[in-house]
Amino acid sequence: MASRVVVVEDDAEIASSIVAALIANGYDAERFATGATATTALEASCPDLVLLDVGLPDIDGITVCRWLREQYRSLPIVLLTARDSEIDMVVGLDAGATDYVTKPFSMTVLLARLRAHLRST
């Protein structure tokens, strides 16, 4: 059975390239453009991994990350963001993120990180 990966990303171009790469690599991928739609959907079922943009249009991704961590203690959460300062990374990881990936990123490296996180769950 394919791992279910949820992508929470408001940028349609970035989201579609991530979803296409996930599907091409055998994942079951689902995308949400806002934190509100993601949290509503994720209340009902827990995916195997979440790729979460920090800069969402409605709810800050850090807030969504904290909520996810409270709901699902062992869920791998990978933050995707253009914020690359040390303090932003610390805040994201302290909020419960498993990993922190800055944009632009290599799709090959992102997929390798996902495989590593999914192996450890």
Side-chain angles (χ1 to χ4, degrees):
M1 187 153 128
S3 294
R4 179 173 168 239
V5 177
V6 166
V7 179
V8 186
E9 170 64 64
D10 62 317
D11 184 303
E13 187 176 324
I14 293 171
S16 57
S17 67
I18 293 171
V19 168
L22 290 168
I23 291 170
N25 283 273
Y27 296 97
D28 177 17
E30 185 174 11
R31 182 237 177 171
F32 298 98
T34 67
T37 57
T39 55
T40 298
L42 294 172
E43 282 178 329
S45 69
C46 180
D48 297 303
L49 186 140
V50 173
L51 289 171
L52 175 61
D53 182 21
V54 172
L56 297 171
D58 58 345
I59 304 170
D60 183 68
I62 298 298
T63 302
V64 175
C65 182
R66 286 188 182 108
W67 178 84
L68 284 168
R69 185 55 62 222
E70 288 174 12
Q71 304 304 309
Y72 307 110
R73 300 286 305 161
S74 62
L75 172 67
I77 304 166
V78 178
L79 293 180
L80 296 174
T81 181
R83 300 177 192 173
D84 62 357
S85 73
E86 185 175 300
I87 190 65
D88 287 322
M89 291 178 194
V90 170
V91 168
L93 293 168
D94 283 348
T98 310
D99 201 353
Y100 193 99
V101 177
T102 56
K103 298 174 186 173
F105 53 87
S106 158
M107 190 64 70
T108 305
V109 172
L110 179 64
L111 291 169
R113 286 176 180 238
L114 298 186
R115 288 191 300 274
H117 291 304
L118 290 168
R119 272 194 309 270
S120 65
T121 59

